[in-house]
Every structure is written in structure tokens, then in C-alpha cells.
């Protein structure tokens, strides 16, 4: 659960780690922020490159998705939480909902096959140094007690009333703390790779994987101006 004490500790950890790596923070501005990167699910690949930097906008098909939020070259980003989600939305849609598990209503054809996403792992290299070897995606799976289109009128099973939407608290559901934290340098070569055990065999149209990094944005701290 989010609280001010934890948020303050995250801020202090971000400044300490950035300073220990030699970044000058005298003119830097630190604020809470996030990075969001989306990739369309394909039945022909088991490995996805997750765009992180604004420079990816010119080199990646997935970078053109409208809800992406990338890291600027002149900034640092301290990662304190990582979340993985599924969505059903085109690259230009602004109303895509985040799902914390393969909801059978949202993904009527591919819900079972999407388990492959949660059996996958994230790795991150920065300037060819592996800073995150293997982050298991399963820690982001969250199936809450109230699920879309499930019956809550047990007394009348022949004429059930149903929940209209999933229960979800996206301040925490789907996210997991990243400790020790990671500094993403906007001026560096960052490769974030999501590797599944095999390709997703069946996919509903417009299915995408959404990765969200939460943490502290340290503005104007790199060598790029």
C-alpha cells in the first residue's frame, strides 16, 4: 500500500544511487513519474524488445503506440516498482483498460494462451552491462475476488446478476517493488527484453502487453542537454 514514508524513502534512495554513480544532482529536479511501454502480442515471436527511450520512437513499430511514455535523453529514472499488464486496444486508442490477469471476457480466444506472458521474464542491460538478469512476470498476476461477468447472486443461479467490471486497485495491483533500485540513464544504450517460454499460440485482435516502471524522474542529470 502506498504511503508517504515509503515515497520519501524511494526519493532518498534515488538521489543516493544517482550520486553514487557519479551523476551531478546540483541542478537536477526530482519528481515522481513513470515510464510506460507497450508491445503488441504476436503468435510468431517469444521475445519482445520493450522501448524505453524517446529515441526508440524512430526505430520501433511498438514505439508509436499513443499511451507510451518514454525517458528523455537528458534525464535519469530511478525504478522503484515494475508492473506488467494486458490490454485490448489499438495503437491509437486512449481508453485501453489495464488487466492484471488474462480476463476471459476481454480475451475470449487467447486467455489461456496468455499464461505464457506471465511465465516470461524481463531482463535489462545498460551499455552492455546486465543490471537486471531475470525478473519473473508472474509476480504481477493479480486475480481479485470480484471478477468481470461472474455471478454474485448465488441465491438465484438461473437468473444471475453479474459484476460489470473487475476489482482493481492500480496503485498496487500488478506492481512489485524493485529493490535494489535501478537507474535508467536516458543517454545510455538501454535494452529491455521480455522473453517468454514460447510464443503465445492464440491472440485476440489488439492484444498488447503493457509494462509500467514507477519511480523518481531526475531531470537534466545526464551529459545530454
Amino acid at each position: 500500500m502506498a504511503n508517504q514514508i515509503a515515497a520519501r524513502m524511494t526519493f532518498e534512495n534515488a538521489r543516493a544511487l544517482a550520486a553514487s554513480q557519479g551523476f551531478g544532482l546540483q541542478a537536477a529536479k526530482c519528481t515522481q513519474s513513470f515510464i510506460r511501454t507497450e508491445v503488441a502480442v504476436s503468435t510468431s515471436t517469444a521475445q519482445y524488445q520493450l522501448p524505453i527511450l524517446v529515441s526508440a520512437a524512430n526505430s520501433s513499430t511498438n514505439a508509436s503506440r499513443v499511451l507510451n511514455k518514454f525517458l528523455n535523453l537528458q534525464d535519469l529514472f530511478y525504478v522503484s516498482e515494475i508492473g506488467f499488464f494486458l490490454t485490448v486496444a489499438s495503437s491509437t486508442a486512449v481508453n485501453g483498460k489495464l488487466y492484471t490477469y488474462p480476463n476471459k471476457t476481454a480475451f475470449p480466444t487467447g486467455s489461456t494462451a496468455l499464461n505464457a506472458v506471465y511465465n516470461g521474464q524481463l531482463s535489462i542491460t545498460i551499455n552492455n552491462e546486465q543490471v537486471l538478469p531475470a525478473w519473473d512476470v508472474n509476480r504481477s498476476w493479480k486475480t481479485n475476488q470480484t471478477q468481470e461477468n461472474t455471478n454474485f447472486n448465488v441465491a438465484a443461479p438461473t437468473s444471475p446478476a453479474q459484476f460489470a467490471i473487475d476489482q482493481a486497485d492500480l496503485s498496487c495491483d500488478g506492481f512489485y517493488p524493485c529493490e535494489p533500485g535501478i537507474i535508467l540513464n536516458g543517454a545510455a544504450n538501454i535494452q529491455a527484453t521480455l522473453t517468454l517460454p514460447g510464443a503465445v499460440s492464440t491472440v485476440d485482435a489488439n492484444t498488447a502487453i503493457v509494462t509500467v516502471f514507477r519511480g523518481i524522474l531526475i531531470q537534466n542529470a545526464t551529459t545530454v542537454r
Side-chain angles (χ1 to χ4, degrees):
M1 180 179 295
N3 62 72
Q4 191 168 1
I5 295 174
R8 182 68 189 185
M9 289 183 65
T10 298
F11 166 70
E12 297 291 351
N13 290 343
R15 288 186 60 87
L17 183 57
S20 72
Q21 294 185 7
F23 294 104
L25 303 181
Q26 294 82 359
K29 179 186 295 184
C30 299
T31 61
Q32 288 192 11
S33 192
F34 70 98
I35 294 170
R36 176 171 172 149
T37 178
E38 301 185 358
V39 291
V41 177
S42 170
T43 58
S44 61
T45 185
Q47 190 171 84
Y48 298 85
Q49 296 300 319
L50 308 182
I52 297 293
L53 305 175
V54 291
S55 56
N58 298 322
S59 59
S60 170
T61 302
N62 286 303
S64 62
R65 297 183 66 90
V66 69
L67 292 180
N68 282 339
K69 186 179 185 301
F70 297 140
L71 179 63
N72 289 323
L73 299 179
Q74 67 269 24
D75 298 336
L76 304 174
F77 188 85
Y78 174 83
V79 179
S80 62
E81 292 182 308
I82 301 176
F84 281 92
F85 306 90
L86 298 169
T87 192
V88 182
S90 70
S91 62
T92 58
V94 297
N95 60 345
K97 178 181 176 181
L98 295 181
Y99 293 92
T100 59
Y101 71 103
N103 178 302
K104 290 188 176 182
T105 300
F107 311 100
T109 301
S111 59
T112 300
L114 285 170
N115 289 339
V117 173
Y118 287 91
N119 287 327
Q121 57 184 326
L122 170 69
S123 62
I124 299 177
T125 62
I126 301 177
N127 289 339
N128 297 318
E129 177 186 357
Q130 194 169 62
V131 298
L132 186 65
W135 177 282
D136 60 300
V137 179
N138 258 322
R139 67 181 78 187
S140 284
W141 181 298
K142 178 70 171 181
T143 307
N144 279 303
Q145 292 174 313
T146 301
Q147 299 162 37
E148 184 177 7
N149 286 350
T150 55
N151 175 24
F152 65 82
N153 187 2
V154 179
T158 58
S159 180
Q162 294 182 324
F163 295 108
I165 60 174
D166 285 328
Q167 173 187 346
D169 178 359
L170 294 182
S171 69
C172 54
D173 291 350
F175 288 95
Y176 200 88
C178 181
E179 284 294 337
I182 300 169
I183 290 283
L184 301 178
N185 181 350
N189 176 18
I190 300 175
Q191 299 294 323
T193 305
L194 175 62
T195 304
L196 312 187
V200 178
S201 58
T202 307
V203 179
D204 295 278
N206 294 322
T207 300
I209 302 166
V210 181
T211 308
V212 179
F213 300 90
R214 284 179 174 168
I216 302 297
L217 178 67
I218 306 173
Q219 301 178 66
N220 301 316
T222 74
T223 56
V224 176
R225 291 291 185 268

